[in-house]
Amino acid sequence: MRAALAATMAGAAAAALACADTAVQQAFRAEDRAALAAAAADAEARQRGAVLRGLATYYALQLAFDAGDASKLQGLLKDTLRMLEQRWARHAEAEVASLYALLLGQQIRLQPWSGMWHGPKADRALGVALRAAPQHPRLLLAQSVAQLYAPAAFGGDPAAALAGLQRASAALAAGHPDPFCWGRDDTDLALAAALRRQQQGAQAQALLEALLARAPEHRPARRALAALQAYPAHAR
């Protein structure tokens, strides 16, 4: 696994100088689950380990849900959530709050009944972080993903999710000066899903095609586009 991660990192050496999370992003784009597992373990010893491990775990869970074996990562998810919660208690960082909330959402997806307490925990962390940084695009991403998928009785609001994702997408497209570069692809994938839910399939398709134009190796985006094209009645 470490060899797979090393190969991914070597191929992105120049970009990695600017972005701390390049290798993790590229592993997700390639759907390299072994490299993501290695990244989650390797990140513990690194300076920015909390964010890198959280991101690797988040991506690993997304691929595992698609493959139908997400329950196998329950232990990794719980350990990463515990680490992020401890980090958040010591340092109220926007990156940590966004990944903590996104991973709590993954926990709810695995165990829907846990939403009764995990949902409010995510809301509290995001509320504190957004008061300090109301325009932070990855906080907007996390908040909007929760609004997109939560039931209306628990704060679900597809229209608010769409608006928040559009703001996050615009901000990330313009660039966000920090050590991390993740979020643009993730926001556009979520925005495409939100557009599709609003019966705006043509706009969703254009967004996914633009994502693939800048990252043709992005397999999850390619699968999302294929799924959208399989139901042309929604593309209007």
Side-chain angles (χ1 to χ4, degrees), residues 30-120:
E31 296 188 332
D32 190 339
R33 298 175 70 181
L36 286 172
D42 182 70
E44 294 183 59
R46 301 178 63 180
Q47 182 179 4
R48 301 185 178 103
V51 172
L52 292 175
R53 182 176 176 181
L55 184 60
T57 302
Y58 177 62
Y59 284 156
L61 260 293
Q62 288 193 65
L63 296 181
F65 276 115
D66 291 342
D69 59 1
S71 61
K72 294 180 180 179
L73 297 183
Q74 181 71 73
L76 173 63
L77 176 58
K78 286 186 176 180
D79 288 347
T80 303
L81 279 171
R82 187 180 305 114
M83 178 203 65
L84 290 173
E85 187 168 312
Q86 292 170 352
R87 175 81 180 192
W88 173 250
R90 296 193 302 270
H91 307 283
E93 300 162 312
E95 297 293 341
V96 172
S98 58
L99 285 164
Y100 180 55
L102 287 167
L103 283 170
L104 284 170
Q106 297 286 45
Q107 181 66 72
I108 295 169
R109 187 175 176 185
L110 269 175
Q111 299 174 327
W113 47 267
S114 71
M116 291 184 291
W117 56 87
H118 287 322

Side-chain angles (χ1 to χ4, degrees), residues 209-233:
E209 288 172 345
L211 194 166
L212 286 165
R214 69 174 185 265
E217 75 280 13
H218 203 303
R219 293 184 180 181
R222 195 166 298 282
R223 286 190 293 102
L225 179 60
L228 180 62
Q229 292 172 331
Y231 298 95

Side-chain angles (χ1 to χ4, degrees), residues 3 20 29 64 68 72 81 103 118 121 128 159 167 176 178 198 210 226:
R29 289 176 174 179
K72 294 180 180 179
L81 279 171
L103 283 170
H118 287 322
K121 285 168 70 174
V128 170
R167 288 167 57 203
H176 191 64
D178 57 35
Q198 296 292 320

Side-chain angles (χ1 to χ4, degrees), residues 152-173:
F154 293 93
D157 188 340
L162 181 60
L165 288 166
Q166 288 170 332
R167 288 167 57 203
S169 180
L172 288 163

